[in-house]
Amino acid sequence: MEDLLQIGVITSTHGIRGEVKVFPTTDDNSRFRKLKECFIEYKGEMVPVKAAGCKFFKNMVILRFDGIDNINDIEKYKQCKLFVDREHAVKLAKDEYFMTDLIGLSVQTEDGRKLGVLDEIIPTGANDVYVVKGEGKKEWLLPAIKECIQKVDLDERQMTVRLMKGMEE
């Protein structure tokens, strides 16, 4: 499991006082209100920063960081990813997982047939869709719903699924 979790991407500056627009990559935008310590990935390094202010505009989050109060100091971080460590991550409810923890899980059916490896998660309006890459070019698109996803075992790196009607080979 990764120690740092991506929460957004800095898309551009906002004004001249060092604020940035962040496109959130989390499904809980309110988490930015409580954001204190985070990291900006810049040229392969993790730069620690402290959040000093947050506001919302359309689908974006506008952040200000301690010690950065002009556009020249923040401009270099455009298009950089923003991370938090697990300790400061949003607490998950039962049967909720961070996407980064699910990628790479071995996926099998209830009867033990190996389908492949969870390769990608596609967020949709209703529910996420798990893309499972199997042998050869076989690909499974599984809805992330209780009827389909039976068990997730992060310790064993294993997901057990029930193929719904029409999904069988």
Side-chain angles (χ1 to χ4, degrees):
M1 285 194 254
E2 295 187 28
D3 292 331
L4 295 176
L5 304 169
Q6 184 180 338
I7 59 169
V9 176
I10 297 173
T11 60
S12 64
T13 58
H14 179 77
I16 60 169
R17 293 195 167 91
E19 291 180 317
V20 290
K21 288 183 184 177
V22 175
F23 178 78
T25 56
T26 175
D27 60 357
D28 182 8
N29 287 355
S30 67
R31 68 130 20 260
F32 287 95
R33 282 192 177 98
K34 300 174 193 156
L35 184 65
K36 293 192 182 0
E37 299 174 7
C38 56
F39 300 88
I40 299 173
E41 185 179 39
Y42 179 67
K43 294 186 177 180
E45 299 287 321
M46 290 298 180
V47 178
V49 291
K50 292 187 188 246
C54 166
K55 41 190 177 179
F56 300 93
F57 180 73
K58 297 185 181 179
N59 66 335
M60 304 295 269
V61 178
I62 298 172
L63 288 180
R64 187 172 42 85
F65 300 109
D66 274 347
I68 300 176
D69 55 7
N70 97 38
I71 191 170
N72 298 324
D73 296 337
I74 198 70
E75 201 161 33
K76 65 183 177 185
Y77 296 124
K78 288 194 299 190
Q79 302 309 309
C80 290
K81 296 176 183 174
L82 195 62
F83 292 85
V84 294
D85 59 23
R86 278 189 188 273
E87 182 182 327
H88 296 101
V90 172
K91 303 300 177 221
L92 298 176
K94 185 180 185 295
D95 293 331
E96 286 186 335
Y97 306 93
F98 292 114
M99 288 182 177
T100 190
D101 294 340
L102 297 176
I103 301 293
L105 289 183
S106 177
V107 180
Q108 68 178 20
T109 61
E110 293 174 298
D111 59 9
R113 183 168 53 108
K114 184 170 170 46
L115 294 181
V117 174
L118 197 145
D119 184 65
E120 181 183 356
I121 299 173
I122 302 170
T124 67
N127 54 265
D128 291 345
V129 174
Y130 296 161
V131 179
V132 177
K133 300 280 184 172
E135 298 278 327
K137 294 188 179 202
K138 184 66 179 170
E139 181 176 272
W140 301 87
L141 300 175
L142 306 174
I145 57 175
K146 288 182 188 241
E147 294 80 15
C148 185
I149 310 303
Q150 298 298 299
K151 181 180 175 189
V152 173
D153 187 336
L154 294 179
D155 293 330
E156 294 292 322
R157 303 291 301 147
Q158 184 80 33
M159 179 183 288
T160 304
V161 300
R162 174 179 295 146
L163 294 180
M164 300 170 72
K165 191 172 185 166
M167 293 179 136
E168 298 88 12
E169 288 186 86

